[in-house]
Amino acid sequence: MDNLKIIDNLYKAFSTGDIPVVLDLLDKNVEWNEAEGNALAEGNPYIGPDAVLNGVFIRLSEEHEYFNLKDIELHDMVDDKVLATLRYDAKRKNNGAVYNAQVAHFWKLKNGKIVAFQQYADTKKIADATHTK
């Protein structure tokens, strides 16, 4: 399967809440990094699918009423890399704040598995929503 298809499948699975499929696309030693300034970055790097599940995905579901990925555009790059540009459309549980943040995801793949992820995000917009009263 080509790299764009793998990443497209990941986003489709995430959008339907099929986290087991998402985790299955990750290499057992995946290195996952959240954007600097993002509260989830405190665990960087998350190594392995279980670390990503517990440190990122479960926290997102606990902290958000909804967390959707919108306007996803995939860009094939050389050397088994994919860049995704997208937006986070989300609502916080703690205060009802809604945000729509610009984001980029940089993926590295090897032998059909995701071996690295780097998030780039409008962390100010995310932080502002987190701390809105």
Side-chain angles (χ1 to χ4, degrees):
M1 188 180 312
D2 74 27
N3 293 330
L4 283 179
K5 186 71 174 160
I6 292 167
I7 300 303
D8 186 53
N9 286 344
L10 177 135
Y11 286 123
K12 285 177 180 172
F14 189 87
S15 72
T16 62
D18 197 346
I19 300 304
V21 168
V22 173
L23 297 174
D24 190 51
L25 294 170
L26 304 180
D27 183 81
K28 66 179 180 150
N29 295 310
V30 66
E31 184 174 314
W32 186 285
N33 286 286
E34 294 289 308
E36 293 175 4
N38 181 347
L40 297 177
E42 68 193 20
N44 285 350
Y46 296 92
I47 305 296
D50 286 342
V52 174
L53 173 65
N54 294 310
V56 179
F57 297 155
I58 288 176
R59 286 178 62 186
L60 286 174
S61 69
E62 290 174 346
E63 296 172 1
H64 292 84
E65 189 173 315
Y66 61 83
F67 186 88
N68 298 312
L69 307 178
K70 300 283 186 179
D71 303 327
I72 300 166
E73 291 187 28
L74 300 180
H75 312 275
D76 199 12
M77 302 176 73
V78 297
D79 297 329
D80 291 322
K81 296 177 179 101
V82 174
L83 176 68
T85 54
L86 59 147
R87 300 194 72 83
Y88 292 160
D89 177 44
K91 182 176 182 181
R92 301 276 312 174
K93 285 183 181 176
N94 65 328
N95 58 14
V98 174
Y99 62 92
N100 186 290
Q102 183 181 41
V103 182
H105 293 163
F106 183 65
W107 303 94
K108 294 181 186 176
L109 299 97
K110 184 175 181 180
N111 298 323
K113 291 285 191 176
I114 297 163
V115 296
F117 167 84
Q118 176 64 59
Q119 174 200 56
Y120 299 92
D122 183 345
T123 55
K124 181 179 183 331
K125 191 174 280 189
I126 296 167
D128 286 352
T130 302
H131 303 295
T132 298
K133 300 268 184 226

